[in-house]
Amino acid sequence: MGYLLKLAARNLWRQKRRTALTFLAIAVGLAALIEVDCIMAGVDRDAIDNLINLETGDVRIHAQGYSAERESLPIDRTLDPDAVLTVLKDVEKIRAATPRLMFGARLNTGWEEIPVMGVGIDPERDGQVFTLAEYVDGRWPARGAAEALLGYDLARVLELAPGDTFTLVTRTRDGAFQAIDLTVAGLIRSPHPQVNSGQVYLPLDVASQALALGGAATEVVLKTQDGARVEDVSRNVRAALEDAGISGEVLTWRDAASDFLAISQSKQGFSALLIFMILVIAVVGVVNTILLGAMERVREIGMMKAMGMTTREIVLLFMLEATGIGVLGSVTGCLIGIAGNAYLVSHGIDILESYKGLDIGYPIAGVIRGAWNWPMIAEAFLLGIVVSWVASYIPARRVAAQDPIASLRQG
Amino acid sequence: MMVGTGIRTKIGLRMAMALLVALAIGSTELSGAGAAVEAADLTAEEIVARMDANAYMASAHLVAKLVIRAGSREITKQMEGWVVGNQKAMVTFLNPGDRGTKYLKLGDELWMFFPDAEDLVKISGHMLKQGMMGSDFSYQDALESEKMGELYEFKLAGVETYDGARCYVLEATALPGKQVSYPKRKIWVDCEKFVARREELYAASGKLLKVSRVEEVKEKGGRTYASRVVMEDKLKRGSSTTLIIEQVEFDVKIPDDVFSLRNLMR
Amino acid sequence: MALLELEGVRKDYRQGRLTVPALRGIDLEVESGEFMAIAGPSGSGKTTLLNLVGCLDTPTEGVIRLDGIELAKLPKAQLADIRRRRIGFVFQSYNLIPVLTAYENVEFSLALLGENSSNVKDRVMRILADVGLSGLENRRPGDLSGGQQQRVAIARALVKGPDLVLADEPTANLDSETGKAIIELMLEMNQKKGTTFIFSTHDPMVMNYARRLVTVRDGRVAEDKRR
Ligand SMILES: Nc1ncnc2c1ncn2[C@@H]1O[C@H](COP(=O)(O)OP(=O)(O)OP(=O)(O)O)[C@@H](O)[C@H]1O
Ligand SMILES: [Mg+2]
C-alpha cells in the first residue's frame, strides 16, 4: 500500500498540468458550492432576523381563528391587549410584549391611492419587542397623535415626506367607510422590503378607535429572554391564556417562517444543481485522467502485471491517483471557499444596487452577509474526495483488466 | 383577495354601481301627489318615506352612457340595462372594449360574466365583507337593497335652494346595529318632486368621501328621472363618474328569463 | 528433476476466424542454473514460448511443469504469485517505471513481495552495485542510458532471488558494445548466484555467450546445442 501511494503521488506529479486542471475544476465547483451555501445561510439568517425583529417577534398571540384568515387581514378577530398583557406578566422567560393592530387600507394622497397594510403600534412598548425604531428617519409617533411612519419605498412612490398629510381609507369593523387623516412623522428604511414598501405605522389607540375596535388589537407580540426556547415559551403562554379564560392562538416565528421555507427549498434545489455539476466535472475529469494515464502507461501496466501485481492492486493504484486528485480538489476548493466565506461574512454583497425593487419573497434587503456553515464545508470536502474515488472505480477496473501480453506487445 | 378578476371587476363594478344608484334615486311619478304637500309641514321621516316610495319603480329598460374621469384620463362606456324594483337588475355592456360583459343582480347575489375569459364570477357570502380592503365600492354597496329609512335615522337640517330648486336638507346617521358603508349622509331632496338632487357620503370619521349630483332631470311618460348624474370621489382630485341616461322606458314588461344565468352567459 | 519441463506444447492464436499456430509441439527440459538462449527467425515463436514459461499465458495443448507442478492446473492468482516470487522478467524495452528512481524501481520488486524489513536497502544497494550502477541509485530512468536502464531491469529481476529470469531480446535495443556488456552481466549473475536464465535473441554475438542454444523454427525446436 505504501509503495502504491508513493507511485500514485509520483504519477500525479508527473502529469502536473492534467492533474492541476482536473483538481482545479473540482475545486472551483466546490468553492462555488460553499460560497452559494454561505450566502444562502446568510440570507436565511438575515431573513429570520428581519422576520423576528420587524414582523413576527419571537412569539405572538392572535384571537382564535385569526391565522386561518390572516391573508385577508380580518379585524373582527381581535384581542384585548391589556387582558393579554396582564396574563403575560406571570409567564416566565418573556422579556417584553407589545400589541399590534394589522388592517388593510388604502393610502390616499388626494391624487393617488394604493393598497397598504396599516399597523397600529403601541409607541411606548413597540421598541421593546421590535427594532422598527432603529430605522426611523424622523419622529417616532406619540400615543393618541394622528401621525404615521411610512415605509421609505412607499413614501418615494407617493412622493410623501415627513410633515405631509395623507388619508388612510379603510373600513370599520362594521363595514363602514373610514378615512383617517394622518401626518407623516417619519420614514422607515429597514432591511425588510415589505416593511419599506407596504406598511403604514400609526399609534394603536388611534387606529383601534378609528376602526371601532375600542382599543383592541389583532395580536400581542412578545420577545423572549435570551436562551429561552420559543416553543417552551409559547406552550407556557398557551397554558396561561387558557387559565385566564382567553381563547387565542399562540404562534412562534417559525410558523411564519414556513412561508419562505418554500424558497429555502428552491435554494436546496440550486445547491443540488451545483452538486450535480460538481459530480459531472469530477466524473469527467477523473475518468479522463485515468483513461489518458492508462493509455500512456499501457506497457508499464503490462510490466506490472507480468511482475505479478494483481488486478486489485492496479485498480487500487489508479483509484489512489483519482482520490489524490479529489483530495487536492477538496483542499483547494475548501480553502478558496473558506477565504470567500470570510469575505462574505465580514463584507457581504450589496444586492440593493443590482436588485432594486425586486421582491424575491425574502424579508431581506441591502447588504447580504454570508454565514458560516461548517457542516456544509465538511460535506463539500468529503464530496470532492468521495466522488473522485467512486468515479475512478470503473475506468480503473477497465485499465487493470488489460491482458499483459497484449500490453507488452504494444510499442 | 378579489378572486382573480382584479381590476376589471372593480372598474366594472364601479360602473354598475353608478347605474344602480342612479336608477334608485332617479325617477318619480309626476302624479302631483307630492306637489300638493306643503314643504314645512313634513318631518324628516315623512320626507324619506316619500322619497323611498318614489325611488323604486316597477320596471325599466334603458340605454345609458358612463363617462369615467380620472385626472386627465376619460373613458366612456355604453350599456343597456333592465331593472325590476330593487331586487333584479341586468346590465350588459355595448362598447367595443367590454362588449358582452354582463352583471346580474338577484336579491343578495351578484353575478358577473366576462366573455373573453368565459369567466363567471359569483360574489356572495363572506367575500362581500372582506372583498374590498377600503376600495371605492364594496360588493356590499352594490347589494344594499334595503330602503334608506330602514338603515338611517334622519334629521331635517333645513330648506335650501340648490341648483335653482327648493330642497330639504336631510342629515342621515346610521341606526345602531345596521351595517352601512357610509355612517353619515347628507341629502338634498327636491321639495316638490321628492327626488334627491345631491347627496354627500361621509366616512365614520366625518370626512366627506363622495358627492353625487343630479345635473339634469327629464320627463318621460309622466315620470321625472335624473338623466345625468355625476359621482365625485372627494379623496381623489379630478375623479368622477357621470351617468347619462340616453333612452328609457318605464313600466315595461320584462320577461323573467332576462334575469337568468343563462342570459348572463349568452 | 528439471526446473522446467515442456511436453508437446502447442499454442494457437486466434485472429478472427483464422487460427495462427505459433508453437507446434515443443518438448524441452531446462535444468536449474542453465544459461540458455532461444534463437530463431522473426515470428518463429520465441516470445510465445517465453510468455508460456513465464506464466503469462497458457498453452493450447501440451504440459508445462515448473518444479514438477503443472502450470495449467493453477488458478490465476497463484500464477501471479509465481511470477511475483520466482520469476524475474527483463524486457527488450526495459519497461522501468519512469516516475521512480533506479533504486525505487528495484525496491518496487521487493515491495510487491511485501518486504519492508531493514535489509531491503542493503539488498537493493548490493544488487545495484553488482550490476555496476553504484552512484546512480537516485537517477530516474529518463536520466539513464539504455544500457544503464537494462542494468536496472536486471537488478530489478534479480533482487528478489528468483529461480528463473526470462529475458525477451534484452540486447535488441542496445548497441553491440552495450549489448555485450549486458549479456556478460547476465552470465556473471548466472555464475555468481546460480540463477537460471532463458533469453531470446537474434544476435549471434549474444548467442555465443549461451551455454545452451535452442533454435526454434516455425514453432518447433529445430536445434538444441549445449556447450
Ligand atoms: N497475440 C497474437 N495474436 C495473433 N498472432 C500472434 C500473437 N502473438 C504472436 N502471434 C503470431 O505467432 C507467431 C509467433 O510470434 P512470436 O511473437 O512468438 O514470434 P517471435 O519469434 O518472438 O518473433 P520476433 O523475433 O519477431 O519477436 C507469429 O506468427 C505471430 O504473428
Ligand atoms: Mg519476439
Side-chain angles (χ1 to χ4, degrees), chain B residues 27-55:
Chain B
S27 90
T28 185
E29 283 186 75
L30 269 182
S31 57
V37 182
E38 243 326 289
D41 298 346
L42 293 174
T43 64
E45 282 69 29
E46 285 166 337
I47 297 164
V48 172
R50 296 282 290 271
M51 190 176 65
D52 270 348
N54 283 339

mmCIF file of all heavy atoms in Angstrom, chain B residues 27-55:
data_model
loop_
_atom_site.group_PDB
_atom_site.id
_atom_site.type_symbol
_atom_site.label_atom_id
_atom_site.label_comp_id
_atom_site.label_asym_id
_atom_site.label_seq_id
_atom_site.Cartn_x
_atom_site.Cartn_y
_atom_site.Cartn_z
ATOM 1 N N SER B 27 -86.058 58.300 -10.461
ATOM 2 C CA SER B 27 -87.345 58.599 -11.091
ATOM 3 C C SER B 27 -88.464 58.735 -10.072
ATOM 4 O O SER B 27 -88.416 58.202 -8.978
ATOM 5 C CB SER B 27 -87.689 57.496 -12.089
ATOM 6 O OG SER B 27 -88.408 56.484 -11.448
ATOM 7 N N THR B 28 -89.409 59.456 -10.443
ATOM 8 C CA THR B 28 -90.586 59.602 -9.579
ATOM 9 C C THR B 28 -91.792 59.889 -10.458
ATOM 10 O O THR B 28 -91.656 60.415 -11.551
ATOM 11 C CB THR B 28 -90.366 60.717 -8.535
ATOM 12 O OG1 THR B 28 -91.473 60.737 -7.669
ATOM 13 C CG2 THR B 28 -90.217 62.067 -9.204
ATOM 14 N N GLU B 29 -92.925 59.565 -9.936
ATOM 15 C CA GLU B 29 -94.130 59.836 -10.736
ATOM 16 C C GLU B 29 -94.515 61.293 -10.610
ATOM 17 O O GLU B 29 -94.352 61.911 -9.577
ATOM 18 C CB GLU B 29 -95.279 58.953 -10.253
ATOM 19 C CG GLU B 29 -95.131 57.536 -10.759
ATOM 20 C CD GLU B 29 -96.337 56.712 -10.387
ATOM 21 O OE1 GLU B 29 -97.381 56.894 -11.016
ATOM 22 O OE2 GLU B 29 -96.218 55.897 -9.452
ATOM 23 N N LEU B 30 -95.018 61.829 -11.683
ATOM 24 C CA LEU B 30 -95.425 63.226 -11.675
ATOM 25 C C LEU B 30 -96.901 63.363 -11.319
ATOM 26 O O LEU B 30 -97.535 64.331 -11.690
ATOM 27 C CB LEU B 30 -95.180 63.839 -13.056
ATOM 28 C CG LEU B 30 -93.816 64.508 -13.284
ATOM 29 C CD1 LEU B 30 -93.777 65.099 -14.678
ATOM 30 C CD2 LEU B 30 -93.536 65.548 -12.242
ATOM 31 N N SER B 31 -97.411 62.383 -10.625
ATOM 32 C CA SER B 31 -98.863 62.351 -10.416
ATOM 33 C C SER B 31 -99.391 63.515 -9.599
ATOM 34 O O SER B 31 -100.582 63.713 -9.491
ATOM 35 C CB SER B 31 -99.247 61.040 -9.725
ATOM 36 O OG SER B 31 -98.527 60.927 -8.523
ATOM 37 N N GLY B 32 -98.480 64.290 -9.038
ATOM 38 C CA GLY B 32 -98.937 65.500 -8.364
ATOM 39 C C GLY B 32 -99.188 65.305 -6.899
ATOM 40 O O GLY B 32 -99.324 66.277 -6.162
ATOM 41 N N ALA B 33 -99.195 64.078 -6.431
ATOM 42 C CA ALA B 33 -99.427 63.847 -5.007
ATOM 43 C C ALA B 33 -98.389 64.584 -4.176
ATOM 44 O O ALA B 33 -98.709 65.213 -3.171
ATOM 45 C CB ALA B 33 -99.363 62.359 -4.714
ATOM 46 N N GLY B 34 -97.160 64.535 -4.632
ATOM 47 C CA GLY B 34 -96.075 65.206 -3.916
ATOM 48 C C GLY B 34 -96.231 66.704 -3.952
ATOM 49 O O GLY B 34 -96.081 67.371 -2.928
ATOM 50 N N ALA B 35 -96.562 67.217 -5.085
ATOM 51 C CA ALA B 35 -96.585 68.663 -5.244
ATOM 52 C C ALA B 35 -97.597 69.326 -4.335
ATOM 53 O O ALA B 35 -97.433 70.479 -3.953
ATOM 54 C CB ALA B 35 -96.879 69.001 -6.703
ATOM 55 N N ALA B 36 -98.641 68.610 -3.968
ATOM 56 C CA ALA B 36 -99.707 69.216 -3.188
ATOM 57 C C ALA B 36 -99.308 69.465 -1.731
ATOM 58 O O ALA B 36 -99.898 70.302 -1.068
ATOM 59 C CB ALA B 36 -100.940 68.304 -3.225
ATOM 60 N N VAL B 37 -98.293 68.765 -1.265
ATOM 61 C CA VAL B 37 -97.965 68.888 0.160
ATOM 62 C C VAL B 37 -97.074 70.092 0.412
ATOM 63 O O VAL B 37 -96.147 70.370 -0.334
ATOM 64 C CB VAL B 37 -97.241 67.599 0.634
ATOM 65 C CG1 VAL B 37 -96.938 67.671 2.114
ATOM 66 C CG2 VAL B 37 -98.091 66.395 0.322
ATOM 67 N N GLU B 38 -97.380 70.824 1.464
ATOM 68 C CA GLU B 38 -96.562 71.988 1.803
ATOM 69 C C GLU B 38 -95.274 71.538 2.474
ATOM 70 O O GLU B 38 -95.285 70.712 3.382
ATOM 71 C CB GLU B 38 -97.350 72.902 2.769
ATOM 72 C CG GLU B 38 -97.667 74.274 2.227
ATOM 73 C CD GLU B 38 -96.618 74.881 1.297
ATOM 74 O OE1 GLU B 38 -95.527 75.258 1.787
ATOM 75 O OE2 GLU B 38 -96.868 74.965 0.061
ATOM 76 N N ALA B 39 -94.204 72.089 2.013
ATOM 77 C CA ALA B 39 -92.891 71.679 2.479
ATOM 78 C C ALA B 39 -92.759 71.709 4.001
ATOM 79 O O ALA B 39 -92.351 70.734 4.625
ATOM 80 C CB ALA B 39 -91.830 72.572 1.858
ATOM 81 N N ALA B 40 -93.078 72.777 4.600
ATOM 82 C CA ALA B 40 -92.798 72.983 6.012
ATOM 83 C C ALA B 40 -93.535 71.995 6.912
ATOM 84 O O ALA B 40 -93.154 71.778 8.051
ATOM 85 C CB ALA B 40 -93.140 74.402 6.417
ATOM 86 N N ASP B 41 -94.566 71.372 6.377
ATOM 87 C CA ASP B 41 -95.369 70.510 7.218
ATOM 88 C C ASP B 41 -94.747 69.140 7.465
ATOM 89 O O ASP B 41 -95.202 68.401 8.320
ATOM 90 C CB ASP B 41 -96.749 70.272 6.568
ATOM 91 C CG ASP B 41 -97.494 71.592 6.430
ATOM 92 O OD1 ASP B 41 -97.040 72.567 7.065
ATOM 93 O OD2 ASP B 41 -98.471 71.619 5.680
ATOM 94 N N LEU B 42 -93.746 68.793 6.689
ATOM 95 C CA LEU B 42 -93.247 67.422 6.747
ATOM 96 C C LEU B 42 -92.111 67.255 7.762
ATOM 97 O O LEU B 42 -91.265 68.116 7.919
ATOM 98 C CB LEU B 42 -92.730 67.004 5.371
ATOM 99 C CG LEU B 42 -93.808 66.876 4.299
ATOM 100 C CD1 LEU B 42 -93.141 66.592 2.945
ATOM 101 C CD2 LEU B 42 -94.787 65.767 4.641
ATOM 102 N N THR B 43 -92.115 66.069 8.407
ATOM 103 C CA THR B 43 -90.972 65.718 9.252
ATOM 104 C C THR B 43 -89.938 65.023 8.369
ATOM 105 O O THR B 43 -90.234 64.629 7.244
ATOM 106 C CB THR B 43 -91.384 64.719 10.359
ATOM 107 O OG1 THR B 43 -91.794 63.511 9.714
ATOM 108 C CG2 THR B 43 -92.486 65.281 11.229
ATOM 109 N N ALA B 44 -88.741 64.868 8.918
ATOM 110 C CA ALA B 44 -87.669 64.187 8.166
ATOM 111 C C ALA B 44 -88.124 62.794 7.746
ATOM 112 O O ALA B 44 -87.894 62.360 6.624
ATOM 113 C CB ALA B 44 -86.406 64.104 9.022
ATOM 114 N N GLU B 45 -88.749 62.065 8.670
ATOM 115 C CA GLU B 45 -89.177 60.692 8.381
ATOM 116 C C GLU B 45 -90.163 60.652 7.217
ATOM 117 O O GLU B 45 -90.103 59.772 6.353
ATOM 118 C CB GLU B 45 -89.827 60.045 9.609
ATOM 119 C CG GLU B 45 -88.855 59.553 10.667
ATOM 120 C CD GLU B 45 -88.130 60.699 11.390
ATOM 121 O OE1 GLU B 45 -88.716 61.803 11.497
ATOM 122 O OE2 GLU B 45 -86.966 60.502 11.800
ATOM 123 N N GLU B 46 -91.065 61.625 7.221
ATOM 124 C CA GLU B 46 -92.058 61.654 6.144
ATOM 125 C C GLU B 46 -91.392 61.931 4.794
ATOM 126 O O GLU B 46 -91.744 61.333 3.785
ATOM 127 C CB GLU B 46 -93.111 62.732 6.440
ATOM 128 C CG GLU B 46 -94.070 62.277 7.516
ATOM 129 C CD GLU B 46 -94.912 63.425 8.067
ATOM 130 O OE1 GLU B 46 -94.485 64.598 7.961
ATOM 131 O OE2 GLU B 46 -95.979 63.138 8.592
ATOM 132 N N ILE B 47 -90.442 62.843 4.816
ATOM 133 C CA ILE B 47 -89.747 63.162 3.558
ATOM 134 C C ILE B 47 -89.057 61.917 3.016
ATOM 135 O O ILE B 47 -89.151 61.580 1.841
ATOM 136 C CB ILE B 47 -88.712 64.285 3.779
ATOM 137 C CG1 ILE B 47 -89.417 65.570 4.211
ATOM 138 C CG2 ILE B 47 -87.894 64.522 2.509
ATOM 139 C CD1 ILE B 47 -88.496 66.597 4.810
ATOM 140 N N VAL B 48 -88.402 61.190 3.924
ATOM 141 C CA VAL B 48 -87.675 59.990 3.500
ATOM 142 C C VAL B 48 -88.640 58.936 2.986
ATOM 143 O O VAL B 48 -88.389 58.285 1.966
ATOM 144 C CB VAL B 48 -86.824 59.429 4.665
ATOM 145 C CG1 VAL B 48 -86.225 58.076 4.273
ATOM 146 C CG2 VAL B 48 -85.734 60.417 5.032
ATOM 147 N N ALA B 49 -89.747 58.802 3.684
ATOM 148 C CA ALA B 49 -90.733 57.811 3.248
ATOM 149 C C ALA B 49 -91.220 58.138 1.851
ATOM 150 O O ALA B 49 -91.339 57.253 0.997
ATOM 151 C CB ALA B 49 -91.909 57.775 4.234
ATOM 152 N N ARG B 50 -91.456 59.416 1.569
ATOM 153 C CA ARG B 50 -91.905 59.821 0.235
ATOM 154 C C ARG B 50 -90.824 59.524 -0.797
ATOM 155 O O ARG B 50 -91.103 59.024 -1.883
ATOM 156 C CB ARG B 50 -92.208 61.337 0.214
ATOM 157 C CG ARG B 50 -93.348 61.747 1.111
ATOM 158 C CD ARG B 50 -94.707 61.422 0.488
ATOM 159 N NE ARG B 50 -95.019 62.257 -0.638
ATOM 160 C CZ ARG B 50 -95.659 63.437 -0.532
ATOM 161 N NH1 ARG B 50 -96.053 63.885 0.652
ATOM 162 N NH2 ARG B 50 -95.929 64.144 -1.603
ATOM 163 N N MET B 51 -89.602 59.844 -0.389
ATOM 164 C CA MET B 51 -88.506 59.632 -1.331
ATOM 165 C C MET B 51 -88.334 58.130 -1.611
ATOM 166 O O MET B 51 -88.210 57.717 -2.759
ATOM 167 C CB MET B 51 -87.214 60.196 -0.733
ATOM 168 C CG MET B 51 -86.080 60.243 -1.716
ATOM 169 S SD MET B 51 -84.625 61.013 -1.013
ATOM 170 C CE MET B 51 -84.197 59.855 0.269
ATOM 171 N N ASP B 52 -88.329 57.348 -0.562
ATOM 172 C CA ASP B 52 -88.186 55.897 -0.728
ATOM 173 C C ASP B 52 -89.292 55.344 -1.614
ATOM 174 O O ASP B 52 -89.064 54.543 -2.511
ATOM 175 C CB ASP B 52 -88.237 55.188 0.637
ATOM 176 C CG ASP B 52 -86.836 55.059 1.239
ATOM 177 O OD1 ASP B 52 -85.857 55.303 0.503
ATOM 178 O OD2 ASP B 52 -86.735 54.735 2.438
ATOM 179 N N ALA B 53 -90.489 55.806 -1.328
ATOM 180 C CA ALA B 53 -91.629 55.312 -2.089
ATOM 181 C C ALA B 53 -91.467 55.646 -3.560
ATOM 182 O O ALA B 53 -91.792 54.849 -4.436
ATOM 183 C CB ALA B 53 -92.924 55.920 -1.551
ATOM 184 N N ASN B 54 -90.975 56.829 -3.854
ATOM 185 C CA ASN B 54 -90.828 57.248 -5.234
ATOM 186 C C ASN B 54 -89.653 56.602 -5.947
ATOM 187 O O ASN B 54 -89.657 56.471 -7.154
ATOM 188 C CB ASN B 54 -90.634 58.775 -5.296
ATOM 189 C CG ASN B 54 -91.947 59.470 -5.094
ATOM 190 O OD1 ASN B 54 -93.011 58.879 -5.297
ATOM 191 N ND2 ASN B 54 -91.898 60.723 -4.666
ATOM 192 N N ALA B 55 -88.660 56.295 -5.169
ATOM 193 C CA ALA B 55 -87.405 55.874 -5.785
ATOM 194 C C ALA B 55 -87.512 54.519 -6.455
ATOM 195 O O ALA B 55 -86.757 54.217 -7.360
ATOM 196 C CB ALA B 55 -86.298 55.839 -4.743
#
